[in-house]
Amino acid sequence: MKKLLLATMLMLSPVVAIAGDISPISQSYYQKAISLYNAGNVSQAKNYMLKVIDTEPNFADAYFNLGVMYKNANIYETAIKYLQKAIALNNNDNEAKYQIAICFNELQDREKAINYL
């Protein structure tokens, strides 16, 4: 399952087949977060993504998406925190590593950015 459409719009894309991965209530929160984000309601989208994390603390895609939301809002330190959690849950998540590298680059910490690449 993937989490982000890295096209020109940087919109979060809904996950088609997540029913087996998270509970129905978490799936509902997740889909609501995606819809709100894509509609431009970032604040509410973050709240719903946090509900997903509360109910599914091991769901890496929720951390990734929350990290990307913060990165897109230029809140890099918070973005890094969530992206690092996504990587802790899924060490093979190269997209999360790339997003963290972007954050560190924006924070002028080139050494840490390179470490994530």
Side-chain angles (χ1 to χ4, degrees):
M1 115 179 58
K2 227 352 127 195
K3 37 213 172 222
L4 184 69
L5 175 61
L6 290 174
T8 53
M9 291 193 242
L10 282 173
M11 296 176 64
L12 297 178
S13 60
V15 176
V16 178
I18 59 173
D21 295 338
I22 61 176
S23 70
I25 189 70
S26 298
Q27 183 176 355
S28 175
Y29 291 152
Y30 189 76
Q31 295 297 333
K32 183 72 172 177
I34 302 278
S35 295
L36 287 164
Y37 184 83
N38 289 338
N41 191 340
V42 178
S43 177
Q44 281 295 94
K46 288 177 189 173
N47 290 337
Y48 274 92
M49 202 60 75
L50 287 168
K51 287 181 181 189
V52 175
I53 289 171
D54 284 344
T55 58
E56 301 289 339
N58 295 318
F59 186 49
D61 286 356
Y63 291 98
F64 174 89
N65 282 321
L66 200 52
V68 170
M69 288 180 198
Y70 280 104
K71 184 201 76 133
N72 290 345
N74 302 322
I75 305 171
Y76 300 114
E77 293 87 357
T78 304
I80 290 166
K81 176 182 110 176
Y82 286 110
L83 291 165
Q84 286 175 328
K85 180 64 176 178
I87 293 168
L89 292 168
N90 177 10
N91 193 43
N92 296 321
D93 192 341
N94 292 326
E95 284 184 60
K97 292 173 185 177
Y98 177 71
Q99 295 298 319
I100 287 177
I102 291 171
C103 292
F104 279 120
N105 186 59
E106 291 297 324
L107 293 171
Q108 307 298 312
D109 192 337
R110 306 282 190 260
E111 186 175 326
K112 285 184 183 174
I114 290 169
N115 287 336
Y116 278 96
L117 295 175

